[in-house]
Amino acid sequence: MLLFILSYLGGLLTILSPCILPVLPFVFAKADQPFRKSGLPLLVGMALTFAAFSGLAVLGGIWAVQLNQWGRWLAIILLTIFGLSLIFPQFFERFYEPFNKLGAKLTTSVGKEPSVFHSVVLGAATGLLWAPCAGPILGLILTGAATQESPMESVWFLFAYALGAATSLMLALVAGGKFLNSMKKTLPMERKIKAGLGVAVLAGVVIIVFNLDRTILTQISKLQTEKWESYLVEVFRPAKPLSKSQGGETSELISRITPNLQGGTKWFNSPTLVLGELRGKVVLIDFWTYSCINCLRTLPYIKAWHEKYKDMGLVIIGVHTPEFAFEKDPLNVAKAIEDLKITYPVVMDNDYQIWNTFENNYWPAHYFIDRKGVIRAYHHGEGKYEASEKVIQDLLKEDGSEEMDSKLVQVEAKGVAAPAQFKDIKTPETYVGFRRAENRRLQPYLKQNQEETYVPVSPIYSNEWTMAGTWLIEEDSALLTKPGGRIHFKYHARDLHLVLGPKEPGAKIRFKVTIDGKPPGKDRGLDVDANGFGTVTENRLYQLIRQSPEKEVKERTFEIEFLDSGVQAFAFTFG
């Protein structure tokens, strides 16, 4: 919806561009006729034609990304024609001369009796005059978004853009000839602007030829919409999105009254705790969830602090706020707490009530509370463990209590909890469900909440993934409904994890992974053997790849094949 609004606003501003000049004479030809029978049908015809014609540019961009090499060459030819038509006016004028003549003929044939049909056709011809100027660039900008959705969604964005432009032209139509005269002052710049746009289109062709479009077009889309979309999100939906964090600064003392812990659905390792009854204690609130790799890598430090400082007045409370539905199950959480050997109190926050009272937005997140019940510092994400521990020590010392060992804990985390190699992580956390999925390449296009048989797209490029087999893609996960389904991912990191689980409790789903087409061998993760075989038995994070330390971390192609149906795939994470 936000992109639709942004497209409309972009079209609304089209009136400020010299590209609109070829259109204005036809629009103002209707200025002295009834708007309902003349001006309005013209604008509707123009918007429809523009959306259809410039939609070819978007489809060309989609062909460039979604289809095979034949489709890419079709896209190259189409975009090259668009670009040349803007750079070389002679070609532009000859190619569109029939539409100019048609427009002129229709303008003079209407006479005194306005005709809705003639006005719509005139608008259609006008839209064809306008589309080559605005259409190709708009198509290139939207290609990054279009690769993630169906073609029709992108055409709807174009229609919103055209509708916005039609609105601005309607205002110009009401303003009359004075506006046209003022716009003519910019006429000398029009040809230069068109040529510049044409060069940009041809540059896009070069990008496609050299396979750079996978990343560059996506970035173009983000550059054009990110700022305004973020602004609109803040205006219409002030709450910040949930997110995970890879690190952040431990804050200075902030002296904020601590929220309460009301809303917890179940407590582990402790009866229900009330912060008001913990006055005199230093409290560390740790927001986490058991399938979050960032949280799992933080846990060794949380547990070490608990062991060292629990008898000195530190109380650690883990607030388990779920990301996926299976993390709301008390049995799953209880097993995770046991497997992870967590002995400090943990409260389930299934309804996000504690999360919201702390105005939290991150997994993991740590809030440090002094003996008077005031938040004195906080930290989002992994890292900064030394600074966090020093905050704990300072808060414990504030009441003038006994001297403590100021040495910091020494942690040697292993397995999944081992520290990430952030310098080598060039692939972001990637969700499989349709609500947050990015960089997917599916053929046919994604069918939300519908069973569909997908075929793998080849080749895939950096940070892209594709799938094969019969899947039901839901909001937060993808369910394999027939055996033999596969997921391919081109990634760059030392570790690759995938959050998986059986749809039916107790089911065992066999799988096999390969890296660059071969069994992982020494690059296997904790949950697979050297030949790449493993079994999904419960809902959790599975470590599938950990590249051996003697190897250089580089871009690799990962594949997982599920030998049985019934598995749910949620999210890829990296380390």
Side-chain angles (χ1 to χ4, degrees):
M1 185 63 185
L2 287 175
L3 284 177
F4 191 89
I5 295 172
L6 289 171
S7 299
Y8 176 81
L9 294 175
L12 195 64
L13 297 175
T14 302
I15 195 67
L16 302 178
S17 169
C19 290
I20 206 69
L21 285 171
V23 175
L24 292 178
F26 299 110
V27 174
F28 286 112
K30 298 289 185 177
D32 60 344
Q33 297 178 4
F35 178 75
R36 186 174 60 86
K37 291 186 177 181
S38 181
L40 181 60
L42 179 142
L43 294 173
V44 170
M46 186 185 69
L48 290 172
T49 309
F50 170 83
F53 191 73
S54 56
L56 292 175
V58 174
L59 293 176
I62 295 173
W63 294 338
V65 178
Q66 294 285 2
L67 299 184
N68 55 25
Q69 285 301 114
W70 288 105
R72 292 178 66 79
W73 282 111
L74 286 174
I76 289 168
I77 293 171
L78 177 63
L79 295 176
T80 300
I81 291 174
F82 279 140
L84 291 175
S85 70
L86 294 172
I87 296 174
F88 300 103
Q90 299 86 350
F91 176 80
F92 175 85
E93 292 168 1
R94 290 177 183 176
F95 187 80
Y96 293 101
E97 185 176 0
F99 302 115
N100 275 307
K101 290 181 178 179
L102 176 61
K105 181 178 179 180
L106 288 171
T107 302
T108 57
S109 65
V110 174
K112 295 182 180 180
E113 293 296 328
S115 166
V116 172
F117 172 76
H118 280 90
S119 296
V120 170
V121 175
L122 176 58
T126 305
L128 288 172
L129 289 176
W130 172 36
C133 182
I137 295 301
L138 186 61
L140 286 171
I141 291 173
L142 290 176
T143 296
T147 58
Q148 302 298 325
E149 305 297 339
S150 69
M152 281 306 300
E153 290 187 26
S154 295
V155 173
W156 277 114
F157 291 146
L158 285 166
F159 179 71
Y161 182 93
L163 192 63
T167 303
S168 65
L169 287 173
M170 178 180 67
L171 297 175
L173 188 60
V174 173
K178 291 183 179 180
F179 183 81
L180 179 59
N181 292 330
S182 64
M183 286 295 293
K184 286 181 178 179
K185 297 178 181 179
T186 63
L187 191 58
M189 292 296 296
E190 179 192 2
R191 185 157 294 178
K192 292 181 180 180
I193 292 175
K194 286 182 178 179
L197 294 176
V199 170
V201 173
L202 294 182
V205 171
V206 173
I207 288 171
I208 293 171
V209 170
F210 289 98
N211 293 325
L212 300 175
D213 48 304
R214 270 75 186 183
T215 55
I216 292 179
L217 289 177
T218 301
Q219 292 303 315
I220 290 175
S221 176
K222 289 181 179 179
L223 287 172
Q224 295 296 326
T225 63
E226 192 173 70
K227 179 179 178 180
W228 287 103
E229 186 168 357
S230 298
Y231 173 75
L232 289 174
V233 167
E234 292 297 322
V235 171
F236 295 107
R237 190 181 58 190
K240 294 181 180 179
L242 308 182
S243 62
K244 296 189 178 75
S245 174
Q246 293 185 345
E249 293 296 332
T250 300
S251 75
E252 298 294 331
L253 301 184
I254 58 177
S255 297
R256 173 185 170 190
I257 299 299
T258 303
N260 58 48
L261 295 177
Q262 292 179 357
T265 55
K266 185 176 179 60
W267 284 82
F268 300 91
N269 300 333
S270 169
T272 300
L273 296 179
V274 178
L275 285 178
E277 298 175 358
L278 293 176
R279 296 291 187 267
K281 300 285 188 179
V282 173
V283 180
L284 168 57
I285 302 293
D286 172 35
F287 283 95
W288 71 297
T289 186
Y290 81 82
S291 73
C292 163
I293 184 60
N294 310 88
C295 303
L296 295 176
R297 290 195 289 249
T298 301
L299 273 179
Y301 293 90
I302 303 291
K303 293 192 293 183
W305 296 336
H306 171 66
E307 291 301 320
K308 180 175 180 178
Y309 300 109
K310 64 182 179 181
D311 295 331
M312 301 180 192
L314 175 68
V315 176
I316 295 179
I317 301 174
V319 179
H320 185 275
T321 309
E323 181 175 16
F324 301 113
F326 65 81
E327 294 172 316
K328 296 182 178 181
D329 188 333
L331 295 179
N332 290 342
V333 177
K335 187 176 186 308
I337 291 172
E338 181 180 359
D339 292 344
L340 296 168
K341 297 180 172 57
I342 296 173
T343 58
Y344 52 80
V346 174
V347 57
M348 292 182 66
D349 183 30
N350 282 0
D351 299 323
Y352 280 68
Q353 289 194 30
I354 302 174
W355 176 287
N356 290 330
T357 59
F358 274 79
E359 299 180 2
N360 184 53
N361 288 289
Y362 298 95
W363 293 283
H366 306 140
Y367 294 85
F368 302 86
I369 303 170
D370 68 13
R371 297 180 188 271
K372 296 180 180 179
V374 176
I375 296 177
R376 299 287 295 277
Y378 64 88
H379 178 256
H380 296 152
E382 301 178 55
K384 303 296 182 182
Y385 301 114
E386 297 85 355
S388 293
E389 187 173 357
K390 287 178 180 177
V391 169
I392 293 173
Q393 292 181 350
D394 290 343
L395 294 180
L396 288 171
K397 292 177 182 178
E398 280 190 347
D399 67 344
S401 59
E402 61 185 270
E403 292 294 325
M404 69 177 66
D405 180 5
S406 60
K407 291 182 180 179
L408 303 179
V409 298
Q410 299 298 311
V411 173
E412 293 184 9
K414 299 179 180 179
V416 172
Q421 291 185 192
F422 289 113
K423 65 181 180 64
D424 292 319
I425 300 177
K426 298 182 180 179
T427 301
E429 180 176 18
T430 302
Y431 294 87
V432 179
F434 66 78
R435 180 165 64 100
R436 289 179 287 179
E438 293 182 345
N439 298 328
R440 64 174 178 254
R441 295 185 60 206
L442 300 181
Q443 189 174 347
Y445 287 96
L446 169 69
K447 301 292 179 60
Q448 297 183 4
N449 296 317
Q450 297 181 36
E451 190 176 282
E452 179 64 59
T453 299
Y454 297 95
V455 296
V457 177
S458 181
I460 56 174
Y461 297 85
S462 298
N463 301 337
E464 290 184 342
W465 60 277
T466 185
M467 57 187 0
T470 305
W471 295 84
L472 175 65
I473 301 181
E474 300 173 305
E475 185 175 32
D476 287 324
S477 66
L479 170 65
L480 180 65
T481 58
K482 295 181 181 179
R486 291 172 287 147
I487 302 177
H488 307 253
F489 203 133
K490 192 156 231 178
Y491 76 102
H492 192 295
R494 182 194 66 190
D495 305 338
L496 181 145
H497 314 96
L498 180 56
V499 179
L500 297 166
K503 177 67 173 178
E504 298 299 328
K508 296 182 178 180
I509 294 115
R510 298 165 299 155
F511 64 82
K512 180 181 180 181
V513 305
T514 61
I515 184 167
D516 293 335
K518 301 176 182 179
K522 293 182 179 180
D523 293 331
R524 70 184 183 91
L526 291 175
D527 294 298
V528 300
D529 61 22
N531 293 317
F533 289 98
T535 305
V536 176
T537 57
E538 57 186 331
N539 289 283
R540 63 176 175 87
L541 179 142
Y542 289 77
Q543 187 186 79
L544 304 178
I545 299 294
R546 166 159 286 175
Q547 295 184 45
S548 56
E550 61 266 20
K551 289 186 178 180
E552 176 189 0
V553 176
K554 60 181 181 179
E555 188 172 79
R556 312 293 290 270
T557 299
F558 166 83
E559 178 183 323
I560 183 168
E561 179 181 7
F562 297 99
L563 307 180
D564 305 299
S565 62
V567 71
Q568 286 182 298
F570 293 88
F572 287 91
T573 58
F574 303 92

